[in-house]
Structures are given as structure tokens and as C-alpha cells.
């Protein structure tokens, strides 16, 4: 049986319009490599690292990690089609080693900026991203986090 071109085009358009369901993230790989247990919601596995090791004041007010001093990375997909995005909370002297660790381990640095005015010590935020296997991306994130210490 031969399909009519209009029916075939309509079927292809319908399939393309349907949202693709992303594979569930490989939580066990992320946890093993990063040594952090991801929180999984809506197909995204997110790890967080509150910066409890840095005493930060903004305009004289002591900041707590939940007020914007937490690094994070979120993974979606699995295997060779995993993506990661994140935001690393850094002291000024951590920028170069963390950027080198991220870049040397297959991550992209998409932004470096500040969130606060009159902060002491100066805190910067490095946005990271990447595409690859879960293992590669989790390794890149772990190496970047290790360079923060």
C-alpha cells in the first residue's frame, strides 16, 4: 500500500510536533562521580553545594548560603546525550583555578559575573554548561567543585 504524500507529510508533522521525552538522568553515576546525592524532579537531577565555608557580608549584613551562596549543577538526559548547566559560587581567588578545571574537563564557561554590590569578600558566579556522557559531565563538575577548595 502506498501512502499519499499529503498523509505522509501530515503524519511527519504530527510526530515532529510531539514533545520528546528525555531519558531519565543517571542518578547513580552523578552521585558516584560527584559524591553528592542529586535531587530529581521532572527528569532533572540537581546537585547543590552551599558555601558554608565563606563568611560573606553584603553592605554589612551577614549572608547565609540559602540567600544566594549555593553552587549547583543540573543534569538532564542520560548516557551520551546528557546536558548539564550550573552556577558556581566563587571567591575571587577561586575563579582562575575553577575556570581551568571546568575547561580542562570538557565544560564550557558561559558567564562570569557578580550578584551583589558591596559584598565582602567579593563573590563571583560562574555559569557552566556542557553536553556529553553523564560520566564526563559529572567528572567535569566534580573537578570544578574540587578546585573551589
Amino acid at each position: 500500500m502506498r501512502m499519499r504524500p499529503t498523509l505522509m507529510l501530515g503524519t511527519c508533522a504530527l510526530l515532529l510536533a510531539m514533545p520528546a521525552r528525555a531519558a531519565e538522568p543517571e542518578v547513580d553515576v552523578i552521585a558516584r562521580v560527584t559524591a553528592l546525592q542529586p535531587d530529581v524532579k521532572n527528569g532533572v537531577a540537581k546537585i547543590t553545594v552551599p558555601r558554608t565555608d565563606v563568611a560573606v557580608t553584603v553592605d554589612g549584613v551577614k549572608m547565609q548560603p540559602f540567600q544566594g551562596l549555593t553552587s549547583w549543577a543540573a543534569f538532564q538526559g542520560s548516557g551520551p546525550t546528557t546536558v548539564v548547566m550550573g552556577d558556581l559560587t566563587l571567591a575571587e581567588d577561586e575563579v582562575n583555578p575553577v575556570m581551568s578545571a571546568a575547561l580542562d574537563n570538557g565544560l564550557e564557561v558561559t558567564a562570569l559575573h557578580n550578584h551583589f554590590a558591596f559584598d565582602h569578600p567579593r563573590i563571583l558566579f560562574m555559569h557552566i554548561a556542557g553536553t556529553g556522557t553523564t560520566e564526563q559531565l559529572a567528572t567535569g563538575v566534580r573537578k570544578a567543585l574540587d578546585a573551589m577548595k
Side-chain angles (χ1 to χ4, degrees), residues 39-121:
D39 180 34
V40 182
K41 289 183 185 168
N42 300 319
V44 176
K46 182 178 179 183
I47 58 169
T48 58
V49 182
R51 290 302 305 258
T52 57
D53 60 319
V54 181
V56 178
T57 59
V58 174
D59 201 20
V61 177
K62 186 175 181 343
M63 300 290 289
Q64 300 299 319
F66 75 88
Q67 294 174 301
L69 300 174
T70 297
S71 296
W72 61 270
F75 298 79
Q76 186 172 25
S78 111
T81 56
T82 302
V83 295
V84 69
M85 294 182 75
D87 198 0
L88 306 178
T89 306
L90 307 174
E92 279 185 292
D93 63 343
E94 295 172 322
V95 170
N96 284 338
V98 171
M99 186 177 291
S100 292
L103 296 173
D104 290 347
N105 288 282
L107 298 177
E108 299 172 36
V109 174
T110 59
L112 179 64
H113 62 94
N114 65 311
H115 289 183
F116 308 113
F118 309 110
D119 51 329
H120 184 77

